[in-house]
Amino acid sequence: MEGLSSDPRRWRDVDKLLSRPGNIVGQDFEPSPTLREDIGDVVRVLVVGAGGLGCELLKDLALSGFKNIDVIDMDTIEVSNLNRQFLFRFYFGILDSEIEKMELLVLREYQNSLFAWLGTDKKRDLIVLSASMLRDEHRFCIVLPPYQHIHQHFTIYIYLLISGVRIHDVGKSKAEVAAERVMKRINGVNITPHFCRIEDKDLSFYNDFNIIVLGLDSIEARSYINSIACGFLEYDEDDRPLLETIKPIVDGGTEGFKGHARVILPGRTPCFECNIWLFPPQVKFPLCTLAETPRTAAHCIEYAHLIKWGEVHHGKSFDADDPEHMQWVYLEALKRAELFGITGVTFSLTQGVVKNIIPAIASTNAIVSAACALEALKIVSGCSKTLSNYLTYNGLDGTHIKVTDFVRDIDCLVCGPGTLLELDTSTTLSQFIGLLGEHPKLLVSKASVTYRGKNLYMQSPPILEEMTRSNLQIPIFHLMDKVPKDTLHISGISEKNDKKASCLRKLRVVFKGVADEALKMDTTESS
């Protein structure tokens, strides 16, 4: 399978899609037999997340003709990832040929270790080790049962017993390993990994990409990337989005047998914040239930995690990635469950409850990834109309796929145009707050003002009001770092039909004279 893209037949179907006209193509689509190559040479794609869905996305995008891909992920590979994140490997490499002897030694110690942890009644759960030949070297392929708390002990033993043994991938960067694997399998693709947090990259990094594809499992991370992409969006005088400032996002997500794929074109389709209500709130258990009347295995686990840990380990924070910490919570939850006659506490469930892990199904990842990769190709090429605009998949009972055309929230604080205000560079923050109460489209009193997450002035609590009070006499042009134009967010009390209510507003501030001068400079440079 090395050099998968070297066979010209590999691209037959993609080339047909890009070289032929059709009835449902995009408005600007220009079919060409070289369009795939042109896309590969010009388009830059950012994949955010290299987990179960991210691995599929990297593979699908590379096999769709995208050649310049970046992937960013802060996580390292864990053993529990390997059942679905197919680009990662976990095996022990044995450099000598005494396979049968090693198999007996390892199996005997593995049995002893497992019995010491779980007792002999779990013998039926042992999975016999198998030796296989891979290329010119012998490999020991080890399949472990789902008792992950023995992995650390087992790995230590292997290191002590066998010289020349190495463990692949586990503990390494997901982004780096995934990029390396895809590039080895598909010729011509260049994938640049970034082993860091998404917040570690500045705005210019994200602005370099033509499209962003999300393979995330976090609402907070999605919201952050959404705000970045929407931050590049600009509107004209009639509140119409400027097409050249739209940064497309294709967002995918999976949860067990369910998944979604959606297209976000800021200013034209709903952004993530417009439909934030689609995500149900995380389940929270009342502490009184955990402490007094537990009824489920999850209650016992959360009791050990949230209450018992603090009582026993004073001042020591719980680390969900520390196997010893997780093992302690698991054993304490077992004791709690036995006390109240509750069954179902397992180590894997303990991990799921503590880390809020949602079971992942490999086939769901593959289906959602295929939909996302296709939408990315449609956006950059125009070979077909894009999804409008939210696809849901449910494979729990048969197969159900539905597309819903959600409507933008025109007052969205993230992707909406906001209210345009033209200010003099000498206008102080205090004067600006006074203008908010007089503006016919705003009528906001007792306003608090923030700029790019920084509090310029806060009405409450008193300590914040005192800390920001000194800004009131400073020109807002200086507080906004002397930029020609930018966005402010305000919160306060609005009055409509003699009724008062709390409100949030997005404002587009343009400074008179400065913005015009900046436009002249841009025009001069471009000419």
Side-chain angles (χ1 to χ4, degrees):
M1 295 295 288
E2 294 284 344
L4 188 60
S5 65
S6 59
D7 186 349
R9 293 175 298 178
R10 167 82 234 356
W11 305 108
R12 181 188 61 189
D13 295 330
V14 176
D15 287 339
K16 285 183 178 180
L17 187 65
L18 299 177
S19 61
R20 297 178 176 181
N23 296 325
I24 57 172
V25 298
Q27 184 178 356
D28 300 323
F29 177 58
E30 297 181 4
S32 169
T34 63
L35 183 53
R36 174 178 56 83
E37 290 292 338
D38 294 339
I39 290 173
D41 293 337
V42 175
V43 176
R44 293 194 63 196
V45 182
L46 174 64
V47 176
V48 185
L53 184 56
C55 285
E56 293 281 355
L57 285 170
L58 289 173
K59 177 257 295 179
D60 288 345
L61 290 169
L63 291 176
S64 298
F66 294 97
K67 295 181 180 179
N68 299 304
I69 304 173
D70 286 50
V71 57
I72 183 170
D73 197 305
M74 64 175 287
D75 289 339
T76 56
I77 301 166
E78 299 180 7
V79 174
S80 60
N81 301 147
L82 303 180
N83 70 320
R84 62 194 181 279
Q85 299 175 18
F86 68 96
L87 293 177
F88 309 139
R89 301 286 182 268
F90 179 55
Y91 57 78
F92 297 90
I94 301 178
L95 303 183
D96 58 58
S97 59
E98 299 182 9
I99 297 297
E100 292 183 358
K101 179 180 178 181
M102 288 299 178
E103 183 172 5
L104 292 174
L105 287 172
V106 173
L107 184 56
R108 185 186 309 119
E109 181 63 20
Y110 182 51
Q111 287 176 329
N112 293 338
S113 301
L114 189 61
F115 294 162
W117 281 98
L118 303 174
T120 56
D121 61 318
K122 297 292 184 181
K123 182 185 294 187
R124 65 182 181 278
D125 294 318
L126 281 176
I127 301 178
V128 178
L129 309 180
S130 63
S132 65
M133 188 76 74
L134 180 62
R135 295 184 183 173
D136 297 327
E137 294 179 348
H138 289 292
R139 300 281 190 228
F140 226 19
C141 299
I142 295 179
V143 184
L144 299 179
Y147 304 110
Q148 297 183 18
H149 49 283
I150 70 165
H151 289 177
Q152 185 180 24
H153 178 86
F154 182 63
T155 301
I156 292 173
Y157 165 74
I158 290 293
Y159 270 120
L160 293 176
L161 178 65
I162 307 173
S163 61
V165 171
R166 57 186 182 272
I167 300 179
H168 282 234
D169 295 352
V170 173
K172 296 181 181 179
S173 160
K174 287 185 176 181
E176 293 173 356
V177 174
E180 178 185 358
R181 290 277 153 73
V182 174
M183 287 191 290
K184 281 184 177 180
R185 297 291 294 272
I186 305 174
N187 288 338
V189 64
N190 179 44
I191 302 179
T192 303
H194 302 273
F195 180 33
C196 61
R197 300 164 65 246
I198 55 178
E199 295 88 352
D200 293 340
K201 298 294 186 180
D202 57 24
L203 293 177
S204 61
F205 170 80
Y206 293 102
N207 200 28
D208 286 340
F209 297 97
N210 302 95
I211 187 170
I212 301 175
V213 185
L214 305 184
L216 295 166
D217 58 0
S218 164
I219 294 177
E220 292 77 13
R222 283 191 178 96
S223 181
Y224 180 81
I225 297 295
N226 178 76
S227 65
I228 292 290
C230 292
F232 299 127
L233 181 64
E234 295 183 12
Y235 288 83
D236 62 15
E237 293 80 4
D238 298 320
D239 288 344
R240 291 176 299 191
L242 301 176
L243 297 182
E244 62 271 18
T245 66
I246 294 177
K247 185 75 64 178
I249 300 175
V250 179
D251 172 41
T254 64
E255 180 178 329
F257 288 99
K258 301 177 182 179
H260 78 263
R262 66 171 153 189
V263 172
I264 298 175
L265 303 175
R268 298 176 62 183
T269 67
C271 77
F272 180 76
E273 296 297 334
C274 290
N275 298 141
I276 190 69
W277 51 269
L278 288 171
F279 291 86
Q282 184 177 340
V283 176
K284 300 289 185 180
F285 301 114
L287 288 179
C288 58
T289 299
L290 303 182
E292 304 295 338
T293 56
R295 297 183 298 276
T296 66
H299 289 164
C300 299
I301 294 168
E302 285 289 55
Y303 170 82
H305 171 218
L306 300 175
I307 299 177
K308 194 66 176 179
W309 177 270
E311 293 178 352
V312 176
H313 304 87
H314 301 287
K316 183 178 181 181
S317 60
F318 178 81
D319 184 358
D321 295 320
D322 189 320
E324 292 185 0
H325 290 194
M326 192 66 70
Q327 173 68 12
W328 187 91
V329 170
Y330 166 60
L331 295 176
E332 288 297 320
L334 275 178
K335 296 177 184 177
R336 181 76 169 173
E338 292 176 0
L339 180 63
F340 285 88
I342 297 172
T343 59
V345 175
T346 64
F347 186 79
S348 59
L349 179 63
T350 301
Q351 285 186 308
V353 172
V354 172
K355 291 186 172 185
N356 193 32
I357 296 175
I358 299 169
I361 308 296
S363 58
T364 308
N365 287 335
I367 292 169
V368 170
S369 172
C372 291
L374 179 59
E375 292 306 317
L377 183 63
K378 288 156 63 176
I379 289 172
V380 300
S381 69
C383 65
S384 179
K385 294 181 179 179
T386 58
L387 179 72
S388 296
N389 45 54
Y390 194 97
L391 178 147
T392 54
Y393 165 80
N394 191 337
L396 186 61
D397 187 12
T399 300
H400 177 74
I401 297 176
K402 180 182 179 181
V403 176
T404 304
D405 188 3
F406 286 110
V407 179
R408 278 186 63 229
D409 179 3
I410 59 175
D411 295 322
C412 177
L413 295 175
V414 178
C415 72
T419 302
L420 179 63
L421 290 179
E422 287 188 296
L423 301 176
D424 294 320
T425 55
S426 60
T427 302
T428 65
L429 180 57
S430 178
Q431 292 171 333
F432 170 74
I433 293 175
L435 291 173
L436 299 177
E438 301 170 0
H439 196 287
K441 291 185 178 181
L442 296 173
L443 301 177
V444 176
S445 60
K446 297 183 178 180
S448 298
V449 185
T450 60
Y451 174 63
R452 292 189 177 274
K454 178 183 177 182
N455 295 326
L456 300 186
Y457 180 70
M458 302 298 291
Q459 294 280 351
S460 61
I463 187 172
L464 280 182
E465 194 280 332
E466 182 178 353
M467 290 173 61
T468 57
R469 189 184 304 160
S470 59
N471 288 337
L472 289 173
Q473 303 309 316
I474 300 176
I476 195 168
F477 179 63
H478 293 273
L479 293 174
M480 294 176 63
D481 302 324
K482 299 182 179 181
V483 296
K485 56 183 179 180
D486 212 335
T487 301
L488 286 175
H489 289 88
I490 64 169
S491 60
I493 304 298
S494 65
E495 185 171 350
K496 188 175 182 180
N497 298 327
D498 295 328
K499 293 183 179 180
K500 294 183 178 181
S502 300
C503 68
L504 296 171
R505 294 289 185 268
K506 178 180 180 180
L507 307 179
R508 287 183 293 145
V509 175
V510 177
F511 292 100
K512 298 176 182 178
V514 181
D516 296 336
E517 188 64 29
L519 180 60
K520 291 180 181 179
M521 292 178 62
D522 291 341
T523 305
T524 303
E525 291 176 359
S526 61
S527 60

